[in-house]
Amino acid sequence: MPETTLESILEGRRSQPHQLIEVLQDVQECYGYIPEEAMKVVAEELGVPLMEVYRVASFYRAFSLTPRGKNMITICMGTACHVRGAKLLPNQVHGQLGVSAGNTTEDGLFTVENVNCLGACALGPLVVFNETYHHHTTPGKLRALIDSTREKEMEETTYEQAQ
Amino acid sequence: MSKLNNISDLNAIRKRLRSRRDSISTVITICGGTGCQASRSQDVIDAVRKELKKQKLGRKVLVRVTGCHGFCEQGPIMVLEPGNIFYCHLKPEDASDIVTKTLLKGEVIERLLYTDPVTSQKIQIETEIPFYRAQDRQLLAQNRQLDPCSIEDYLAIGGYSALAKTLAELTPEAIIEKIKASGLRGRGGGGYPTARKWTECRDTPGDEKYVICNADEGDPGAYMDRSVLEGNPHLILEGMMIGAWAVGAQQGYVYVRNEYPLAVKHVRIAVQQAREFGLLGEHILDSNFSFDVEIARGGGAFVCGESTALMVSLEGKVGEPRPKDVHTVKDGLWHKPTTLNNVETWANVPSIILNGASWFAARGTKDSKGTKIFALTGRIKNTGLVEVAMGTSLRNIVFDIGGGATDGVGIKAVQTGGPSGGCLPIDKFDLPVDFEALYEAGSMIGSGGIVVMDEKTCMVDVAKYFLTFLQDESCGKCVPCRLGIDRMLEIITDITEGRGRPEQIDLLKELAETVAHTSLCGLGKTAPNPVLSTLRYFPEEYEAHINEKRCPAGVCQALIKYEIDDEKCKGCGICLDACPHDAIKGEKKEIHTIDQDTCQKCGICIEECKLDAISVA
Amino acid sequence: MKQYVTITIDGVHIRAAKGTSVLDAAIEYGICIPHLCHVPGLSDIGSCRLCIVEHVVNGKSKITTSCTLNVEEGMVILSNTEWVKKLRRNNAELLVAQAPNSRAIQDIAVRCGVKEVRYPFRNHDCVLCGRCVRVCTEMWGARAIGFVGRGNGRHVDFPLGVRPDFCKHCGSCITLCPMTITPCDGPMKIGEEYLCGKCESQLSMAEGISDTCVWCELGKGFQCARYT
């Protein structure tokens, strides 16, 4: 655990329990999830009982207690997206990758997440794939996107193995 | 930029900025809001800047990247001055044509013009587009005029003059009087009279008070607040300052849901700029008003849009609502008197101060005054943000502004008010958007989301959708919400999967009553609304699911079959290859069939078939 | 100097100290309003929604939990109307359908008037009343257990899932838990749950309520004939 990064997150916030959520958000951004070690350090430095840190980390969807996969697939489940058929998208992902919302594939390549409205409702169904927004997504398009990403990952692994 | 020490400094700088703004006549306005960013508007912005530099026009032409215009489906959007020429669906490759032909030669590029989906005509001038023209864009129009990251833009168009007027001429009591006379009611969903809330807070003794802007817009399908906060953050800050002066607060918070990264970024920049200019801090504009604002991000919880949950979340804890036997205006953030208002409520304050209460009250109905921004989405031609006077009919919004149905499929209902609201059928479309009118009909204005549903939408599925949403977002503290919503969902799932029994409808209604009356907070209390309103207006759909095990709209997967039409199928095999579950069988050039046991109804085969041979039965 | 106010519960005038909850005031006078998550001496969170009453203001009734409502001069409370009984009964039904393997919850359900359970039984071993969490946090200041997660996933757990060394095994959490009271004939078979409630609730004894209810002389705590 790079102590310096956690250190910089905690700077100026020590002994300020009300900063807990902001601190955890920075931890999430930095590590991609909230490691147990980080929770212990945060508890100590902010003066918040560990139980409370764990409680907050488990309550909010922005925080993940398990490491995320290499590629993030976020599916918008807002009302506007839903009436345009967004319901088919998690099914598609489940059929193709075998994982449901909030989980990561065994090979660690993909994490799927549902989010309750991204605010781009006119362009639904919306899927965010590694921070890139894809609008008017259909099961077919999503399938193709996952396939092409997987191929690229395979190429990279083969390349790395060849080195 | 140096600090503004008093009001005359403010007026002087405004004059300078205004004349500088007026001196540039060629302006390219490009929308940089979240919606257009999703359509890659940043690439267009970069391409235009590059092209201008290439043609050495960088100094003569101003590129202004604005916030959301509210017409996201047409994005990326651009408006050119002079001429008010509107271009849409832009790609980076269009940049060179735009600069060379339109800017330099005044030629309009037909293929980039907006096509009215109703008349199929091309429209050149922004203000003539029916979608915009039919609205009353008191708040949204400003988004078009300014770069949200520029306090100079905001000042140039008159920003912070309401604050100046407040500090120079108006006592806190006078401000509350104005707000009261205007009839402003909360725009976040509750519709609580704003002046009453401010009075209660002001009257609560205490030196430490807070004002909060609730930007946790959690209703799926609603993005009005995103647009205003992202596009015009100083407007919100100004409103909060005026409110803080009125109630006696020295500290404000803007709580933004973390799913809106652009809004967070822009409001942070705005606060920073306001501090630099001395518009936030000690003795603002040489008055005895000191005020500062902090930005807080939500953690991804719909329940944090509820006022007590939001305050608890600001304190760094889990967003579990507290009982509201004592109002938050008396016992709020850190147990101090707190005024919490929605983004749009704060946004309306400066114009009420500047233009007067009767100006605001001139629009709207008897009890619902002013304009309201709605997010009109779903199965209609024109989707986007619609700002109209209260009292406008749903029919007007859906058909005149929205342009009516897509795909020639008949419109069946609108869902208003998000998960707390209800569905209203087409014969209720003459209802005005008014707090009481929609509430009596079994729905509510809510935060302003309007989702249009057509014959292909299953209303039982809609009820199931909202219950699933609420079950996921419930904090889990109280029994009726945690267990009641769960059991309602269990019953509705039975109904959508062919296990429904007639007596379940009565149980559903009784459970709904219990959840509505005994839940601890608004989430639980309003959770039954989607179920109750769909039961009230679409009982025949429930009956079909229960008695006939049939889904009339063809949505509920357990009750539908995908079938290949023998007469249309040519045996090309595209669907067979595409099916991820190997549910389609057939030899080449022979009619293919779908194995109903394996079929997961994912919809890919329908998408891939070029002959339209697969349909839902 | 303690300040006192007079409130009316079901027509009875009651004098209570300012800062007391309506529930505490009622119980002290022997009017037993059913409750589950309330524990004397610990904070009231209003999560079980069984202690609901009608609070009448300007002729209109508002349903609220009596444990979180503090007494005020002239307050009018109705704790036993048909409407309140129905709402309370429905909440109790939800609880017993969730956890039928608890003698205490079975008893509460029957006492709140549940006659049939209209939902499929589930066999959960926690109803999230929070008594254990509050005693550990408030009485001992230990915070060795707490609530984790949200909505349906909400459950009680140790910090990071591991019993901390500052848990002194005091057993307070177990004593207060409505689930740990021994079932009479042994646990109900899964799939064969039913509404029972024939046993005495140990809950009232654990709380040490000694007064007799003013409505009858049958006994203590939940033993109120008017709820059956």
Side-chain angles (χ1 to χ4, degrees):
Chain A
M1 175 128 324
E3 237 135 18
T4 39
T5 334
L6 195 51
E7 176 65 36
S8 56
I9 291 172
L10 287 166
E11 207 181 291
R13 287 160 160 173
R14 287 192 163 80
S15 304
Q16 293 180 53
H18 70 278
Q19 294 272 12
L20 179 57
I21 295 175
E22 287 288 322
V23 167
L24 287 177
Q25 278 175 338
D26 288 341
V27 171
Q28 174 73 33
E29 256 170 63
C30 178
Y31 297 103
Y33 74 115
I34 315 276
E36 279 191 12
E37 272 311 305
M39 279 196 259
K40 289 181 182 161
V41 174
V42 169
E44 181 79 37
E45 297 295 321
L46 284 186
V48 179
L50 182 59
M51 187 69 241
E52 187 66 19
V53 178
Y54 187 43
R55 188 180 180 203
V56 169
S58 64
F59 181 88
Y60 292 103
R61 290 278 182 275
F63 307 135
S64 176
L65 294 175
T66 49
R68 290 213 164 121
K70 218 167 152 203
N71 297 287
M72 261 316 284
I73 305 174
T74 305
I75 306 175
C76 180
M77 301 303 284
T79 319
C81 291
H82 180 84
V83 300
R84 284 185 176 184
K87 196 166 72 158
L88 298 172
L89 297 173
N91 291 348
Q92 162 54 30
V93 172
H94 189 256
Q96 191 177 5
L97 295 174
V99 282
S100 51
N103 294 313
T104 307
T105 52
E106 289 240 344
D107 56 15
L109 278 182
F110 297 99
T111 298
V112 183
E113 209 183 49
N114 286 351
V115 72
N116 286 325
C117 193
L118 290 161
C121 314
L123 298 156
L126 219 69
V127 171
V128 185
F129 203 95
N130 289 334
E131 299 191 6
T132 309
Y133 282 59
H134 293 260
H135 51 96
H136 296 106
T137 318
T138 57
K141 281 186 192 167
L142 185 54
R143 186 174 188 79
L145 192 52
I146 294 175
D147 277 339
S148 67
T149 310
R150 222 204 233 126
E151 269 170 37
K152 238 188 285 171
E153 295 283 353
M154 302 283 226
E155 274 170 28
E156 275 177 26
T157 329
T158 336
Y159 178 70
E160 274 163 30
Q161 281 174 353
Q163 292 297 297
Chain B
M1 259 295 132
S2 58
K3 192 175 153 193
L4 300 171
N5 290 314
N6 48 47
I7 294 179
S8 45
D9 274 358
L10 176 63
N11 291 337
I13 200 177
R14 190 199 310 293
K15 204 166 158 197
R16 255 199 340 266
L17 290 169
R18 195 171 263 159
S19 73
R20 187 164 71 174
R21 185 188 172 97
D22 291 341
S23 69
I24 304 177
S25 55
T26 313
V27 181
I28 301 181
T29 302
I30 308 183
C31 177
T34 300
C36 283
Q37 291 279 4
S39 302
R40 317 273 193 278
S41 69
Q42 193 55 51
D43 295 341
V44 175
I45 295 168
D46 294 339
V48 167
R49 284 204 164 115
K50 199 164 153 194
E51 185 64 34
L52 285 173
K53 196 168 168 191
K54 192 168 121 191
Q55 304 220 23
K56 302 214 194 314
L57 290 167
R59 286 186 180 280
K60 298 206 188 107
V61 179
L62 176 67
V63 174
R64 184 177 287 133
V65 180
T66 65
C68 181
H69 294 209
F71 208 4
C72 314
E73 206 156 17
Q74 303 299 320
I77 287 178
M78 175 193 284
V79 184
L80 291 126
E81 308 279 7
N84 204 225
I85 300 169
F86 184 89
Y87 285 154
C88 57
H89 294 302
L90 294 170
K91 298 199 185 40
E93 307 85 83
D94 297 323
S96 100
D97 272 349
I98 292 171
V99 174
T100 323
K101 295 196 180 132
T102 312
L103 268 190
L104 291 177
K105 296 191 195 150
E107 268 172 41
V108 165
I109 306 169
E110 284 282 316
R111 64 182 165 80
L112 297 179
L113 287 178
Y114 169 73
T115 311
D116 186 332
V118 180
T119 62
S120 300
Q121 275 188 318
K122 288 216 175 276
I123 299 181
Q124 180 178 315
I125 298 180
E126 187 199 15
T127 43
E128 283 176 13
I129 294 174
F131 180 75
Y132 286 138
R133 208 176 48 201
Q135 296 184 39
D136 190 3
R137 296 189 138 215
Q138 297 300 321
L139 289 172
L140 284 177
Q142 271 200 358
N143 275 22
R144 239 290 263 119
Q145 315 279 344
L146 48 84
D147 175 353
C149 301
S150 160
I151 188 173
E152 287 89 353
D153 271 5
Y154 187 64
L155 288 167
I157 62 168
Y160 289 115
S161 29
L163 176 67
K165 182 174 173 179
T166 299
L167 295 176
E169 300 165 22
L170 299 167
T171 60
E173 288 78 13
I175 294 182
I176 297 182
E177 261 315 301
K178 265 196 200 290
I179 301 293
K180 185 170 171 195
S182 75
L184 178 63
R185 288 168 69 170
R187 294 289 193 254
Y192 194 77
T194 309
R196 201 189 296 171
K197 184 181 277 191
W198 290 14
T199 308
E200 281 171 13
C201 188
R202 175 159 189 80
D203 290 346
T204 306
D207 288 325
E208 205 184 316
K209 295 186 187 175
Y210 298 101
V211 290
I212 301 179
C213 172
N214 184 346
D216 192 54
E217 190 173 53
D219 278 3
Y223 57 103
M224 307 73 58
D225 293 349
R226 169 186 68 69
S227 167
V228 176
L229 193 58
E230 209 177 71
N232 200 352
H234 285 284
L235 179 63
I236 310 305
L237 293 180
E238 193 179 2
M240 286 174 75
M241 290 176 201
I242 296 169
W245 173 244
V247 304
Q250 308 80 32
Q251 178 69 39
Y253 291 90
V254 181
Y255 185 94
V256 191
R257 64 194 295 251
N258 79 330
E259 291 92 333
Y260 286 170
L262 203 57
V264 172
K265 180 172 159 204
H266 288 181
V267 77
R268 274 192 176 142
I269 292 173
V271 165
Q272 192 50 43
Q273 290 174 339
R275 283 184 186 145
E276 278 165 21
F277 274 62
L279 291 164
L280 281 174
E282 304 280 321
H283 299 295
I284 297 171
L285 296 178
D286 203 28
S287 69
N288 51 10
F289 177 53
S290 302
F291 181 67
D292 198 15
V293 171
E294 258 184 58
I295 313 296
R297 286 178 288 172
F302 172 75
V303 69
C304 285
E306 196 272 344
S307 53
T308 59
L310 192 158
M311 292 181 201
V312 157
S313 181
L314 268 175
E315 293 173 13
K317 303 178 190 137
V318 291
E320 283 177 4
R322 292 176 176 157
K324 279 219 277 223
D325 296 292
V326 180
H327 290 175
T328 49
V329 283
K330 299 199 174 96
D331 180 355
L333 182 63
W334 306 116
H335 295 289
K336 302 281 184 226
T338 306
T339 297
L340 180 144
N341 277 120
N342 169 265
V343 169
E344 204 181 328
T345 314
W346 289 122
N348 274 298
V349 169
S351 50
I352 291 175
I353 300 298
L354 282 179
N355 302 333
S358 35
W359 165 85
F360 188 80
R363 288 176 173 78
T365 63
K366 181 167 148 291
D367 293 315
S368 306
K369 297 288 184 197
T371 59
K372 174 84 187 78
I373 306 177
F374 293 96
L376 184 62
T377 58
R379 322 267 308 160
I380 43 162
K381 292 198 173 76
N382 285 325
T383 60
L385 293 181
V386 173
E387 187 177 350
V388 290
M390 291 281 206
T392 308
S393 72
L394 289 168
R395 186 176 301 284
N396 187 316
I397 295 174
V398 174
F399 291 103
D400 298 334
I401 303 178
T406 43
D407 310 338
V409 181
I411 290 184
K412 189 158 71 169
V414 286
Q415 202 281 333
T416 69
S420 304
C423 299
L424 295 169
I426 198 162
D427 59 16
K428 290 267 179 261
F429 278 17
D430 289 314
L431 280 175
V433 286
D434 166 275
F435 287 108
E436 277 67 42
L438 290 189
Y439 182 75
E440 270 152 28
S443 181
M444 59 156 84
I445 286 186
S447 64
I450 299 182
V451 185
V452 179
M453 299 172 172
D454 62 15
E455 301 290 340
K456 287 192 184 156
T457 315
C458 171
M459 303 316 284
V460 185
D461 178 67
V462 168
K464 181 171 156 194
Y465 164 80
F466 281 116
L467 285 175
T468 309
F469 174 85
L470 289 166
Q471 184 199 44
D472 190 45
E473 296 290 350
S474 162
C475 78
K477 190 202 279 197
C478 75
V479 165
C481 177
R482 186 183 76 241
L483 297 179
I485 292 179
D486 200 22
R487 294 294 186 173
M488 282 201 283
L489 180 55
E490 196 178 58
I491 295 172
I492 293 253
T493 305
D494 277 350
I495 295 175
T496 58
E497 291 181 4
R499 295 184 300 271
R501 299 183 313 275
E503 58 272 20
Q504 283 181 314
I505 299 292
D506 288 325
L507 179 55
L508 205 50
K509 287 185 183 160
E510 196 180 325
L511 191 46
E513 188 198 12
T514 306
V515 175
H517 286 281
T518 64
S519 289
L520 191 150
C521 83
L523 189 153
K525 288 195 171 117
T526 56
N529 287 348
V531 176
L532 289 176
S533 63
T534 49
L535 271 172
R536 175 173 166 183
Y537 294 117
F538 303 95
E540 68 281 356
E541 291 204 31
Y542 280 87
E543 275 153 33
H545 282 74
I546 294 176
N547 300 331
E548 299 167 50
K549 311 288 183 237
R550 180 178 66 91
C551 175
V555 169
C556 296
Q557 289 174 322
L559 304 179
I560 55 170
K561 283 195 298 209
Y562 280 13
E563 279 175 352
I564 298 179
D565 188 340
D566 304 20
E567 286 170 26
K568 289 186 183 166
C569 177
K570 295 269 183 287
C572 65
I574 288 182
C575 59
L576 195 151
D577 289 335
C579 177
H581 305 105
D582 289 324
I584 304 185
K585 306 266 180 300
E587 299 298 317
K588 268 245 176 313
K589 300 256 168 83
E590 283 183 23
I591 296 172
H592 283 38
T593 52
I594 298 177
D595 177 355
Q596 296 301 332
D597 292 324
T598 331
C599 173
Q600 300 293 316
K601 292 148 197 139
C602 65
I604 291 187
C605 55
I606 295 185
E607 215 185 306
E608 297 290 321
C609 176
K610 310 269 185 284
L611 302 166
D612 228 2
I614 310 182
S615 60
V616 176
Chain C
M1 255 301 283
K2 241 187 189 169
Q3 273 197 303
Y4 282 86
V5 296
T6 307
I7 69 168
T8 316
I9 302 183
D10 295 337
V12 176
H13 288 291
I14 287 178
R15 203 165 152 267
K18 255 195 160 183
T20 321
S21 69
V22 169
L23 179 64
D24 281 337
I27 290 176
E28 209 185 296
Y29 267 72
I31 298 176
C32 43
I33 301 174
H35 50 277
L36 170 60
C37 64
H38 165 76
V39 179
L42 299 182
S43 66
D44 288 307
I45 55 171
S47 77
C48 71
R49 315 309 281 180
L50 291 175
C51 71
I52 44 172
V53 292
E54 283 189 48
H55 178 198
V56 186
V57 179
N58 294 333
K60 282 215 289 246
S61 267
K62 228 179 98 173
I63 298 282
T64 188
T65 42
S66 48
C67 64
T68 55
L69 184 64
N70 280 354
V71 295
E72 267 170 48
E73 183 61 43
M75 204 176 240
V76 177
I77 301 289
L78 299 170
S79 78
N80 200 30
T81 60
E82 286 307 312
W83 193 35
V84 166
K85 284 203 281 199
K86 176 166 118 177
L87 296 174
R88 191 181 290 143
R89 186 176 66 229
N90 285 337
N91 277 330
E93 184 188 354
L94 285 169
L95 277 167
V96 78
Q98 194 74 358
N101 260 310
S102 156
R103 208 162 88 182
I105 292 185
Q106 285 273 4
D107 203 62
I108 288 171
V110 169
R111 288 176 195 287
C112 288
V114 179
K115 294 271 185 287
E116 50 155 353
V117 178
R118 297 166 291 181
Y119 313 105
F121 281 101
R122 294 178 186 161
N123 256 300
H124 288 231
D125 50 18
C126 173
V127 287
L128 300 166
C129 64
R131 289 167 143 233
C132 56
V133 172
R134 274 175 289 137
V135 76
C136 187
T137 306
E138 294 168 27
M139 196 149 104
W140 302 113
R143 288 184 182 256
I145 50 174
F147 279 119
V148 162
R150 191 171 92 192
N152 262 343
R154 193 169 188 255
H155 60 283
V156 178
D157 204 351
F158 299 111
L160 302 181
V162 173
R163 183 197 288 271
D165 49 21
F166 53 82
C167 164
K168 300 297 179 214
H169 298 258
C170 70
S172 303
C173 49
I174 298 172
T175 315
L176 284 180
C177 178
M179 305 301 300
T180 55
I181 294 159
T182 326
C184 52
D185 290 328
M188 293 186 192
K189 292 205 183 60
I190 293 178
E192 289 175 36
E193 300 90 355
Y194 52 95
L195 183 66
C196 168
K198 297 199 190 89
C199 307
E200 282 280 323
S201 170
Q202 298 266 0
L203 231 56
S204 48
M205 290 196 222
E207 292 170 3
I209 298 173
S210 53
D211 287 332
T212 312
C213 170
V214 296
W215 290 95
C216 71
E217 288 156 9
L218 286 181
K220 322 170 183 192
F222 281 118
Q223 270 180 292
C224 267
R226 68 187 170 122
Y227 288 110
T228 51

